[in-house]
């Protein structure tokens, strides 16, 4: 097989890149390890930055998002009973869209099917060969047969555990990492959301997030020790813990019910530089991970695709390599700013094991300052709705 751009990984990064390239007349093949059903069963965050919303519309997959998604003009940060509203609309003129990442991925598959795109599921032992040459190719096993895909460029969109990043020789790569000493226990439930807008809660009992998918589907998180297992958390224990972290008004009126999904995710900040090695480009989680506190994971993947798609079109259609030469540096500038914001939100809102009494006071003072300073709220809003591409 032969294509222009071989895309490793059929998550949101790979599918969006493929979708935009196909619409510009660039041929792609997406190689995905899992089944489509498996990809679509993963529950991830649900907040789309303003720029992400525009990108998805431009990629021709905005219709269902515009019909079923919920624009949010603000969110809350709380400190025990103090509720600080961040009014995105007033402070920045923009808003975000609450629409699950799983739905974005589903829309991408539907759109790719309509374009007749080639997405190969169930590939094993993917190896990127000769990436640092003019003739790269990808080898993989499908149904027991070893296959070869020749291409002009390779996009590594295969997430944190993928093979693309590791294809770049270790002496070229620089990795930066912070692992946080807690995880998020997430619960999805068919209940009315605790509030119309998201609540990021700092409290004496730790961090909680009250989010939602729609008027009858809520998504909640509480911080838990990394050693905890899902089995340790009955629904009753979860609801009690969540209530103890939220402002009492919200907790008292909150609807609870059986969980329909429950999982624990560790929190990590990670960047691998550079994003390019020869004809291989890293995109999304393959190159960077953020803790979910700022909802930046998917949005960063989309901004990588923003930089890379134009660069690939320019080089393939016009022989202009300036975009691909600049990709790594341009994308990383924005990635590091989102890293900073996610780290700051995480630090501002979570209890760290063994922390001194000073740390809790710093969180409280930060929240008080936010409640009193429009400048501080504007800075947060600007980052939350998404920095410009
Ligand atoms: N070969 C082929 N496919 C692979 C391989 C491999 N060796 N390894 C992983 N994959 C696939 C995974 O099965 C997955 O479907 O690559 C895909 C990567 O998808 P994601 O992990 O969702 O990463 P990405 O597409 O970059 O999505 C951006 O940012 O913070 C997150 O939640 C956010 O998942 C979102 C992500
Ligand atoms: C979610 O709805 O799953 C969600 C929202 C905001 C975040 C993280 C997760 O920051």
């Amino acid at each position: 097989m032969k294509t222009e751009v071989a895309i490793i990984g059929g998550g949101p990064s790979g599918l969006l890149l493929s979708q935009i390239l196909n619409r510009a007349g660039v041929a792609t093949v997406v190689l995905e390890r899992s089944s489509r059903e498996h990809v679509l069963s993963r529950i991830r965050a649900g907040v789309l930055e303003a720029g992400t919303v525009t990108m998805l519309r431009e990629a021709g997959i905005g219709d269902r998002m515009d019909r079923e998604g919920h624009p949010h003009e603000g969110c809350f940060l709380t400190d025990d009973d103090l509720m600080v509203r961040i009014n995105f609309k007033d402070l920045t003129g923009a808003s975000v869209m609450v629409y699950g990442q799983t739905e974005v991925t589903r829309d991408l598959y539907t759109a790719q099917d309509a374009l007749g795109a080639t997405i190969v599921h169930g590939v094993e032992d993917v190896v990127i060969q000769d990436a640092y040459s003019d003739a790269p190719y990808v080898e993989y096993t499908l149904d027991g047969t070893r296959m070869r895909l020749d291409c002009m460029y390779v996009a590594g969109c295969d997430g944190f555990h993928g093979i693309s990043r590791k294809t770049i020789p270790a002496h070229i790569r620089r990795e930066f990492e912070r692992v946080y000493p807690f995880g998020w226990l997430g619960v999805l439930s068919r209940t009315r959301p605790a509030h119309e807008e998201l609540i990021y809660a700092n409290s004496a009992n730790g961090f909680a997030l009250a989010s939602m998918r729609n008027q009858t589907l809520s998504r909640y998180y509480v911080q838990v020790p990394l050693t905890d297992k899902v089995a340790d958390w009955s629904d009753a224990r979860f609801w009690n813990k969540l209530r103890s972290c939220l402002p009492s008004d919200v907790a008292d009126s909150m609807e609870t019910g059986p969980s329909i999904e429950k999982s624990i995710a560790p929190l990590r900040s990670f960047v691998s530089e550079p994003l390019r090695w020869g004809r291989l480009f890293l995109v999304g989680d393959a190159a960077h991970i953020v803790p979910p506190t700022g909802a930046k994971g998917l949005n960063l993947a989309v901004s990588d695709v923003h930089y890379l798609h134009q660069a690939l079109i320019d080089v393939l259609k016009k022989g202009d390599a300036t975009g691909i030469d600049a990709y790594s540096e341009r994308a990383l500038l924005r990635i590091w700013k989102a890293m900073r914001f996610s780290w700051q939100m995480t630090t501002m809102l979570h209890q760290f094991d063994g922390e001194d009494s000073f740390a809790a006071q710093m969180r409280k003072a930060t929240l008080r300052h936010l409640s009193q300073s429009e400048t501080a709220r504007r800075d947060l809003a600007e980052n939350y709705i998404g920095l410009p591409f």
Side-chain angles (χ1 to χ4, degrees):
M1 244 203 313
K2 202 170 167 52
T3 192
E4 288 180 290
V5 181
I7 298 178
I8 320 294
S13 300
L15 294 172
L16 180 62
L17 182 64
S18 180
Q19 172 72 7
I20 299 179
L21 291 178
N22 292 166
R23 279 164 64 97
V26 173
T28 62
V29 170
V30 177
L31 301 174
E32 166 59 49
R33 191 179 49 187
S34 311
S35 67
R36 183 180 293 209
E37 294 67 38
H38 179 80
V39 174
L40 290 175
S41 68
R42 296 190 294 232
I43 298 180
R44 301 273 174 84
V47 177
L48 308 181
E49 292 176 353
T52 298
V53 168
T54 306
M55 276 274 286
L56 297 182
R57 286 183 188 137
E58 283 172 6
I61 64 144
D63 289 355
R64 196 163 70 95
M65 171 187 75
D66 283 324
R67 274 198 316 276
E68 296 177 19
H70 299 268
H72 278 216
E73 296 188 354
C75 75
F76 287 87
L77 272 68
T78 69
D79 178 44
D80 295 325
D81 281 342
L82 171 72
M83 293 183 72
V84 184
R85 176 147 193 267
I86 311 294
N87 188 327
F88 309 141
K89 195 77 185 177
D90 282 358
L91 294 164
T92 69
S95 50
V96 296
M97 181 76 88
V98 170
Y99 187 63
Q101 178 180 321
T102 313
E103 303 312 315
V104 173
T105 312
R106 192 184 306 281
D107 295 344
L108 279 163
Y109 273 119
T110 307
Q112 282 278 274
D113 288 346
L115 289 181
T118 309
I119 304 174
V120 187
H121 286 275
V123 301
E124 294 169 296
D125 302 323
V126 175
V127 182
I128 302 167
Q129 301 283 16
D130 294 351
Y132 209 91
S133 83
D134 290 345
Y137 61 98
V138 181
E139 290 179 322
Y140 59 96
T141 300
L142 186 66
D143 299 330
T145 308
R146 199 72 184 146
M147 313 286 279
R148 173 177 169 138
L149 171 63
D150 287 284
C151 57
M152 305 286 289
Y153 295 97
V154 182
C157 304
D158 49 355
F160 184 65
H161 299 288
I163 50 90
S164 297
R165 183 176 68 254
K166 292 166 201 147
T167 302
I168 302 178
H171 71 275
I172 307 274
R173 267 184 282 142
R174 269 170 308 152
E175 298 190 345
F176 304 85
E177 184 170 47
R178 171 145 316 170
V179 178
Y180 300 89
F182 38 72
W184 276 17
L185 168 64
V187 158
L188 191 67
S189 70
R190 284 193 217 290
T191 47
R192 178 170 38 82
H195 200 281
E196 282 153 33
E197 293 182 334
L198 273 74
I199 300 176
Y200 290 86
N202 171 53
S203 82
N205 296 309
F207 169 80
L209 168 59
S211 180
M212 70 288 286
R213 292 292 175 271
N214 57 50
Q215 274 88 351
T216 56
L217 197 57
S218 300
R219 181 71 171 157
Y220 296 108
Y221 302 90
V222 295
Q223 85 170 89
V224 293
L226 276 174
T227 44
D228 277 19
K229 301 275 172 286
V230 171
D232 300 333
W233 286 86
S234 65
D235 286 359
R237 183 178 173 205
F238 175 80
W239 292 118
N240 280 337
K241 171 77 184 180
L242 177 65
R243 275 206 209 88
S244 77
C245 300
L246 293 172
S248 39
D249 284 359
V250 177
D252 291 347
S253 60
M254 190 175 65
E255 189 186 346
T256 62
S259 64
I260 51 177
E261 194 265 356
K262 205 184 270 165
S263 51
I264 294 181
L267 269 69
R268 176 197 305 270
S269 297
F270 173 84
V271 181
S272 179
E273 297 185 351
L275 304 185
R276 177 195 185 180
W277 187 61
R279 289 185 173 233
L280 167 65
F281 300 89
L282 301 182
V283 180
D285 277 19
H288 44 79
I289 297 286
V290 283
T293 325
K296 292 293 172 227
L298 173 65
N299 292 299
L300 265 191
V302 170
S303 75
D304 290 354
V305 171
H306 169 83
Y307 296 122
L308 186 58
H309 86 273
Q310 197 55 53
L312 287 172
I313 292 169
D314 288 348
V315 73
L316 285 163
K317 299 287 181 205
K318 298 186 245 159
D320 173 1
T322 45
I324 58 167
D325 289 344
Y327 169 67
S328 183
E329 205 175 321
R330 285 180 75 197
L332 280 165
L333 278 176
R334 193 170 185 282
I335 289 163
W336 276 113
K337 287 182 272 184
M339 285 287 149
R340 186 196 71 87
F341 178 65
S342 309
W343 159 81
Q344 187 184 43
M345 287 280 282
T346 304
T347 314
M348 177 184 11
L349 295 165
H350 291 76
Q351 249 174 32
F352 286 68
D353 260 4
E355 65 181 20
D356 55 21
S357 54
F358 190 76
Q361 292 306 114
M362 289 301 98
R363 287 195 294 276
K364 284 193 162 304
T366 306
L367 270 303
R368 297 275 147 198
H369 177 57
L370 269 179
S371 76
Q372 285 156 4
S373 163
E374 185 175 301
T375 308
R377 289 195 297 278
R378 179 168 290 111
D379 177 60
L380 198 147
E382 205 172 83
N383 280 279
Y384 196 90
I385 63 109
L387 296 174
F389 289 151

mmCIF file of all heavy atoms in Angstrom, residues 189-224:
data_model
loop_
_atom_site.group_PDB
_atom_site.id
_atom_site.type_symbol
_atom_site.label_atom_id
_atom_site.label_comp_id
_atom_site.label_asym_id
_atom_site.label_seq_id
_atom_site.Cartn_x
_atom_site.Cartn_y
_atom_site.Cartn_z
ATOM 1 N N SER A 189 -23.144 9.640 35.728
ATOM 2 C CA SER A 189 -24.440 9.189 36.248
ATOM 3 C C SER A 189 -25.580 9.879 35.513
ATOM 4 O O SER A 189 -25.442 11.030 35.089
ATOM 5 C CB SER A 189 -24.551 9.449 37.751
ATOM 6 O OG SER A 189 -24.652 10.838 37.988
ATOM 7 N N ARG A 190 -26.675 9.135 35.367
ATOM 8 C CA ARG A 190 -27.845 9.732 34.716
ATOM 9 C C ARG A 190 -28.620 10.553 35.733
ATOM 10 O O ARG A 190 -29.653 10.128 36.245
ATOM 11 C CB ARG A 190 -28.751 8.633 34.141
ATOM 12 C CG ARG A 190 -28.205 8.033 32.885
ATOM 13 C CD ARG A 190 -29.225 7.173 32.151
ATOM 14 N NE ARG A 190 -28.582 6.018 31.565
ATOM 15 C CZ ARG A 190 -27.744 6.069 30.530
ATOM 16 N NH1 ARG A 190 -27.477 7.224 29.952
ATOM 17 N NH2 ARG A 190 -27.182 4.976 30.075
ATOM 18 N N THR A 191 -28.071 11.706 36.047
ATOM 19 C CA THR A 191 -28.686 12.597 37.024
ATOM 20 C C THR A 191 -28.590 14.021 36.480
ATOM 21 O O THR A 191 -27.760 14.309 35.623
ATOM 22 C CB THR A 191 -27.929 12.542 38.366
ATOM 23 O OG1 THR A 191 -26.523 12.657 38.103
ATOM 24 C CG2 THR A 191 -28.192 11.252 39.126
ATOM 25 N N ARG A 192 -29.441 14.883 37.010
ATOM 26 C CA ARG A 192 -29.379 16.299 36.650
ATOM 27 C C ARG A 192 -28.061 16.862 37.187
ATOM 28 O O ARG A 192 -27.706 16.591 38.344
ATOM 29 C CB ARG A 192 -30.583 16.996 37.309
ATOM 30 C CG ARG A 192 -30.701 18.468 37.111
ATOM 31 C CD ARG A 192 -32.071 18.972 37.609
ATOM 32 N NE ARG A 192 -32.549 18.311 38.839
ATOM 33 C CZ ARG A 192 -32.166 18.635 40.073
ATOM 34 N NH1 ARG A 192 -31.298 19.593 40.279
ATOM 35 N NH2 ARG A 192 -32.654 17.987 41.121
ATOM 36 N N PRO A 193 -27.312 17.636 36.364
ATOM 37 C CA PRO A 193 -26.042 18.185 36.869
ATOM 38 C C PRO A 193 -26.234 19.031 38.126
ATOM 39 O O PRO A 193 -27.282 19.664 38.296
ATOM 40 C CB PRO A 193 -25.549 19.046 35.701
ATOM 41 C CG PRO A 193 -26.221 18.488 34.493
ATOM 42 C CD PRO A 193 -27.546 17.958 34.948
ATOM 43 N N ALA A 194 -25.224 19.028 38.979
ATOM 44 C CA ALA A 194 -25.296 19.749 40.249
ATOM 45 C C ALA A 194 -25.494 21.248 40.028
ATOM 46 O O ALA A 194 -26.070 21.938 40.864
ATOM 47 C CB ALA A 194 -24.015 19.516 41.041
ATOM 48 N N HIS A 195 -25.014 21.735 38.894
ATOM 49 C CA HIS A 195 -25.097 23.162 38.600
ATOM 50 C C HIS A 195 -25.136 23.325 37.091
ATOM 51 O O HIS A 195 -24.745 22.416 36.367
ATOM 52 C CB HIS A 195 -23.871 23.877 39.207
ATOM 53 C CG HIS A 195 -24.062 25.340 39.381
ATOM 54 N ND1 HIS A 195 -23.957 26.238 38.343
ATOM 55 C CD2 HIS A 195 -24.364 26.078 40.479
ATOM 56 C CE1 HIS A 195 -24.185 27.464 38.791
ATOM 57 N NE2 HIS A 195 -24.439 27.389 40.094
ATOM 58 N N GLU A 196 -25.600 24.484 36.616
ATOM 59 C CA GLU A 196 -25.633 24.709 35.162
ATOM 60 C C GLU A 196 -24.228 24.810 34.581
ATOM 61 O O GLU A 196 -24.017 24.547 33.400
ATOM 62 C CB GLU A 196 -26.371 26.007 34.842
ATOM 63 C CG GLU A 196 -27.876 25.895 34.914
ATOM 64 C CD GLU A 196 -28.516 27.221 35.236
ATOM 65 O OE1 GLU A 196 -27.972 28.267 34.818
ATOM 66 O OE2 GLU A 196 -29.550 27.216 35.936
ATOM 67 N N GLU A 197 -23.271 25.268 35.397
ATOM 68 C CA GLU A 197 -21.906 25.439 34.900
ATOM 69 C C GLU A 197 -20.945 24.543 35.682
ATOM 70 O O GLU A 197 -21.267 24.092 36.783
ATOM 71 C CB GLU A 197 -21.484 26.914 35.019
ATOM 72 C CG GLU A 197 -22.303 27.791 34.082
ATOM 73 C CD GLU A 197 -21.916 29.262 34.092
ATOM 74 O OE1 GLU A 197 -21.377 29.753 35.105
ATOM 75 O OE2 GLU A 197 -22.174 29.928 33.077
ATOM 76 N N LEU A 198 -19.758 24.338 35.118
ATOM 77 C CA LEU A 198 -18.776 23.485 35.794
ATOM 78 C C LEU A 198 -18.325 24.124 37.102
ATOM 79 O O LEU A 198 -18.174 25.342 37.179
ATOM 80 C CB LEU A 198 -17.537 23.273 34.909
ATOM 81 C CG LEU A 198 -17.622 22.114 33.914
ATOM 82 C CD1 LEU A 198 -18.530 22.467 32.755
ATOM 83 C CD2 LEU A 198 -16.236 21.751 33.399
ATOM 84 N N ILE A 199 -18.094 23.279 38.101
ATOM 85 C CA ILE A 199 -17.560 23.756 39.375
ATOM 86 C C ILE A 199 -16.259 23.026 39.676
ATOM 87 O O ILE A 199 -16.245 21.791 39.805
ATOM 88 C CB ILE A 199 -18.548 23.507 40.541
ATOM 89 C CG1 ILE A 199 -19.877 24.230 40.280
ATOM 90 C CG2 ILE A 199 -17.944 23.957 41.866
ATOM 91 C CD1 ILE A 199 -20.943 23.945 41.349
ATOM 92 N N TYR A 200 -15.171 23.774 39.748
ATOM 93 C CA TYR A 200 -13.873 23.246 40.177
ATOM 94 C C TYR A 200 -13.752 23.605 41.653
ATOM 95 O O TYR A 200 -13.656 24.789 41.987
ATOM 96 C CB TYR A 200 -12.733 23.892 39.402
ATOM 97 C CG TYR A 200 -12.656 23.498 37.934
ATOM 98 C CD1 TYR A 200 -13.387 24.174 36.962
ATOM 99 C CD2 TYR A 200 -11.830 22.458 37.524
ATOM 100 C CE1 TYR A 200 -13.306 23.816 35.612
ATOM 101 C CE2 TYR A 200 -11.734 22.098 36.188
ATOM 102 C CZ TYR A 200 -12.472 22.781 35.237
ATOM 103 O OH TYR A 200 -12.384 22.433 33.918
ATOM 104 N N ALA A 201 -13.773 22.601 42.526
ATOM 105 C CA ALA A 201 -13.889 22.883 43.955
ATOM 106 C C ALA A 201 -12.610 22.564 44.726
ATOM 107 O O ALA A 201 -12.111 21.429 44.669
ATOM 108 C CB ALA A 201 -15.047 22.072 44.538
ATOM 109 N N ASN A 202 -12.113 23.580 45.413
ATOM 110 C CA ASN A 202 -11.063 23.372 46.408
ATOM 111 C C ASN A 202 -11.770 23.326 47.761
ATOM 112 O O ASN A 202 -12.663 24.130 48.025
ATOM 113 C CB ASN A 202 -10.071 24.540 46.376
ATOM 114 C CG ASN A 202 -9.085 24.492 47.516
ATOM 115 O OD1 ASN A 202 -8.431 23.487 47.719
ATOM 116 N ND2 ASN A 202 -8.990 25.573 48.286
ATOM 117 N N SER A 203 -11.398 22.381 48.603
ATOM 118 C CA SER A 203 -12.066 22.323 49.907
ATOM 119 C C SER A 203 -11.140 21.673 50.914
ATOM 120 O O SER A 203 -10.128 21.076 50.560
ATOM 121 C CB SER A 203 -13.350 21.490 49.804
ATOM 122 O OG SER A 203 -13.034 20.113 49.883
ATOM 123 N N ALA A 204 -11.560 21.785 52.176
ATOM 124 C CA ALA A 204 -10.789 21.148 53.244
ATOM 125 C C ALA A 204 -10.735 19.632 53.037
ATOM 126 O O ALA A 204 -9.874 18.944 53.574
ATOM 127 C CB ALA A 204 -11.428 21.475 54.584
ATOM 128 N N ASN A 205 -11.674 19.096 52.235
ATOM 129 C CA ASN A 205 -11.705 17.651 51.987
ATOM 130 C C ASN A 205 -11.085 17.269 50.654
ATOM 131 O O ASN A 205 -11.257 16.133 50.196
ATOM 132 C CB ASN A 205 -13.156 17.154 52.052
ATOM 133 C CG ASN A 205 -13.716 17.336 53.449
ATOM 134 O OD1 ASN A 205 -13.099 16.916 54.414
ATOM 135 N ND2 ASN A 205 -14.849 18.015 53.553
ATOM 136 N N GLY A 206 -10.413 18.223 50.024
ATOM 137 C CA GLY A 206 -9.747 17.914 48.754
ATOM 138 C C GLY A 206 -10.484 18.493 47.564
ATOM 139 O O GLY A 206 -11.450 19.247 47.703
ATOM 140 N N PHE A 207 -10.015 18.094 46.372
ATOM 141 C CA PHE A 207 -10.544 18.641 45.125
ATOM 142 C C PHE A 207 -11.724 17.829 44.604
ATOM 143 O O PHE A 207 -11.758 16.603 44.730
ATOM 144 C CB PHE A 207 -9.445 18.624 44.048
ATOM 145 C CG PHE A 207 -9.960 18.915 42.660
ATOM 146 C CD1 PHE A 207 -10.203 20.222 42.260
ATOM 147 C CD2 PHE A 207 -10.228 17.886 41.759
ATOM 148 C CE1 PHE A 207 -10.695 20.495 40.987
ATOM 149 C CE2 PHE A 207 -10.720 18.151 40.480
ATOM 150 C CZ PHE A 207 -10.956 19.458 40.100
ATOM 151 N N ALA A 208 -12.691 18.525 44.015
ATOM 152 C CA ALA A 208 -13.756 17.847 43.268
ATOM 153 C C ALA A 208 -14.104 18.690 42.050
ATOM 154 O O ALA A 208 -13.897 19.913 42.048
ATOM 155 C CB ALA A 208 -14.995 17.658 44.134
ATOM 156 N N LEU A 209 -14.623 18.033 41.024
ATOM 157 C CA LEU A 209 -15.119 18.734 39.834
ATOM 158 C C LEU A 209 -16.520 18.240 39.535
ATOM 159 O O LEU A 209 -16.763 17.036 39.495
ATOM 160 C CB LEU A 209 -14.198 18.441 38.630
ATOM 161 C CG LEU A 209 -14.698 18.855 37.250
ATOM 162 C CD1 LEU A 209 -14.966 20.353 37.160
ATOM 163 C CD2 LEU A 209 -13.679 18.455 36.177
ATOM 164 N N ALA A 210 -17.434 19.199 39.388
ATOM 165 C CA ALA A 210 -18.795 18.860 38.969
ATOM 166 C C ALA A 210 -18.940 19.297 37.524
ATOM 167 O O ALA A 210 -18.927 20.487 37.225
ATOM 168 C CB ALA A 210 -19.815 19.570 39.863
ATOM 169 N N SER A 211 -19.052 18.316 36.626
ATOM 170 C CA SER A 211 -19.191 18.616 35.208
ATOM 171 C C SER A 211 -20.431 17.896 34.677
ATOM 172 O O SER A 211 -21.194 17.297 35.452
ATOM 173 C CB SER A 211 -17.921 18.197 34.460
ATOM 174 O OG SER A 211 -18.021 18.479 33.084
ATOM 175 N N MET A 212 -20.629 17.958 33.393
ATOM 176 C CA MET A 212 -21.845 17.360 32.829
ATOM 177 C C MET A 212 -21.656 17.071 31.353
ATOM 178 O O MET A 212 -20.708 17.550 30.725
ATOM 179 C CB MET A 212 -23.037 18.312 33.007
ATOM 180 C CG MET A 212 -23.008 19.576 32.156
ATOM 181 S SD MET A 212 -21.801 20.789 32.651
ATOM 182 C CE MET A 212 -22.540 21.459 34.128
ATOM 183 N N ARG A 213 -22.567 16.280 30.815
ATOM 184 C CA ARG A 213 -22.620 16.081 29.364
ATOM 185 C C ARG A 213 -23.890 16.737 28.811
ATOM 186 O O ARG A 213 -23.885 17.302 27.752
ATOM 187 C CB ARG A 213 -22.606 14.595 29.012
ATOM 188 C CG ARG A 213 -21.282 13.911 29.342
ATOM 189 C CD ARG A 213 -20.142 14.401 28.441
ATOM 190 N NE ARG A 213 -18.857 13.823 28.840
ATOM 191 C CZ ARG A 213 -18.044 14.380 29.736
ATOM 192 N NH1 ARG A 213 -18.373 15.537 30.311
ATOM 193 N NH2 ARG A 213 -16.913 13.810 30.080
ATOM 194 N N ASN A 214 -24.995 16.597 29.531
ATOM 195 C CA ASN A 214 -26.240 17.289 29.153
ATOM 196 C C ASN A 214 -27.138 17.385 30.392
ATOM 197 O O ASN A 214 -26.684 17.076 31.497
ATOM 198 C CB ASN A 214 -26.933 16.572 27.973
ATOM 199 C CG ASN A 214 -27.226 15.108 28.301
ATOM 200 O OD1 ASN A 214 -27.792 14.803 29.349
ATOM 201 N ND2 ASN A 214 -26.839 14.214 27.402
ATOM 202 N N GLN A 215 -28.415 17.777 30.177
ATOM 203 C CA GLN A 215 -29.294 18.042 31.335
ATOM 204 C C GLN A 215 -29.596 16.803 32.168
ATOM 205 O O GLN A 215 -30.091 16.916 33.294
ATOM 206 C CB GLN A 215 -30.626 18.669 30.894
ATOM 207 C CG GLN A 215 -30.587 20.183 30.745
ATOM 208 C CD GLN A 215 -30.133 20.603 29.350
ATOM 209 O OE1 GLN A 215 -29.686 19.764 28.568
ATOM 210 N NE2 GLN A 215 -30.238 21.889 29.051
ATOM 211 N N THR A 216 -29.344 15.630 31.612
ATOM 212 C CA THR A 216 -29.668 14.415 32.368
ATOM 213 C C THR A 216 -28.450 13.521 32.595
ATOM 214 O O THR A 216 -28.577 12.390 33.071
ATOM 215 C CB THR A 216 -30.756 13.595 31.632
ATOM 216 O OG1 THR A 216 -30.290 13.320 30.311
ATOM 217 C CG2 THR A 216 -32.065 14.354 31.551
ATOM 218 N N LEU A 217 -27.291 14.010 32.217
ATOM 219 C CA LEU A 217 -26.074 13.196 32.351
ATOM 220 C C LEU A 217 -24.982 14.040 33.006
ATOM 221 O O LEU A 217 -24.571 15.073 32.462
ATOM 222 C CB LEU A 217 -25.636 12.729 30.950
ATOM 223 C CG LEU A 217 -24.650 11.578 30.826
ATOM 224 C CD1 LEU A 217 -25.160 10.319 31.521
ATOM 225 C CD2 LEU A 217 -24.383 11.284 29.339
ATOM 226 N N SER A 218 -24.519 13.575 34.183
ATOM 227 C CA SER A 218 -23.513 14.340 34.930
ATOM 228 C C SER A 218 -22.191 13.597 34.945
ATOM 229 O O SER A 218 -22.143 12.366 34.900
ATOM 230 C CB SER A 218 -23.958 14.511 36.386
ATOM 231 O OG SER A 218 -25.184 15.185 36.442
ATOM 232 N N ARG A 219 -21.121 14.361 35.028
ATOM 233 C CA ARG A 219 -19.784 13.779 35.156
ATOM 234 C C ARG A 219 -19.118 14.439 36.356
ATOM 235 O O ARG A 219 -19.023 15.684 36.412
ATOM 236 C CB ARG A 219 -18.986 14.053 33.876
ATOM 237 C CG ARG A 219 -17.589 13.474 33.875
ATOM 238 C CD ARG A 219 -17.610 11.975 33.774
ATOM 239 N NE ARG A 219 -16.277 11.399 33.550
ATOM 240 C CZ ARG A 219 -15.957 10.150 33.847
ATOM 241 N NH1 ARG A 219 -16.850 9.342 34.397
ATOM 242 N NH2 ARG A 219 -14.754 9.684 33.611
ATOM 243 N N TYR A 220 -18.705 13.633 37.315
ATOM 244 C CA TYR A 220 -18.093 14.160 38.536
ATOM 245 C C TYR A 220 -16.735 13.515 38.773
ATOM 246 O O TYR A 220 -16.494 12.372 38.351
ATOM 247 C CB TYR A 220 -18.987 13.865 39.750
ATOM 248 C CG TYR A 220 -20.337 14.545 39.701
ATOM 249 C CD1 TYR A 220 -21.499 13.808 39.470
ATOM 250 C CD2 TYR A 220 -20.436 15.919 39.892
ATOM 251 C CE1 TYR A 220 -22.742 14.433 39.429
ATOM 252 C CE2 TYR A 220 -21.677 16.549 39.847
ATOM 253 C CZ TYR A 220 -22.824 15.799 39.607
ATOM 254 O OH TYR A 220 -24.029 16.429 39.556
ATOM 255 N N TYR A 221 -15.893 14.252 39.471
ATOM 256 C CA TYR A 221 -14.588 13.713 39.859
ATOM 257 C C TYR A 221 -14.262 14.133 41.292
ATOM 258 O O TYR A 221 -14.635 15.234 41.713
ATOM 259 C CB TYR A 221 -13.468 14.270 38.972
ATOM 260 C CG TYR A 221 -13.627 14.016 37.493
ATOM 261 C CD1 TYR A 221 -14.312 14.923 36.684
ATOM 262 C CD2 TYR A 221 -13.085 12.875 36.902
ATOM 263 C CE1 TYR A 221 -14.439 14.702 35.309
ATOM 264 C CE2 TYR A 221 -13.209 12.657 35.532
ATOM 265 C CZ TYR A 221 -13.894 13.574 34.740
ATOM 266 O OH TYR A 221 -14.026 13.359 33.396
ATOM 267 N N VAL A 222 -13.543 13.270 42.023
ATOM 268 C CA VAL A 222 -12.922 13.667 43.295
ATOM 269 C C VAL A 222 -11.471 13.191 43.269
ATOM 270 O O VAL A 222 -11.150 12.186 42.615
ATOM 271 C CB VAL A 222 -13.631 13.068 44.539
ATOM 272 C CG1 VAL A 222 -15.049 13.612 44.685
ATOM 273 C CG2 VAL A 222 -13.654 11.541 44.495
ATOM 274 N N GLN A 223 -10.614 13.914 43.968
ATOM 275 C CA GLN A 223 -9.215 13.465 44.020
ATOM 276 C C GLN A 223 -9.110 12.278 44.974
ATOM 277 O O GLN A 223 -9.791 12.251 46.007
ATOM 278 C CB GLN A 223 -8.284 14.619 44.427
ATOM 279 C CG GLN A 223 -8.120 14.885 45.908
ATOM 280 C CD GLN A 223 -6.993 15.871 46.208
ATOM 281 O OE1 GLN A 223 -7.222 17.084 46.233
ATOM 282 N NE2 GLN A 223 -5.778 15.368 46.462
ATOM 283 N N VAL A 224 -8.306 11.290 44.612
ATOM 284 C CA VAL A 224 -8.121 10.105 45.468
ATOM 285 C C VAL A 224 -6.635 9.739 45.521
ATOM 286 O O VAL A 224 -5.894 10.061 44.589
ATOM 287 C CB VAL A 224 -8.922 8.879 44.936
ATOM 288 C CG1 VAL A 224 -10.416 9.100 45.042
ATOM 289 C CG2 VAL A 224 -8.537 8.520 43.498
#
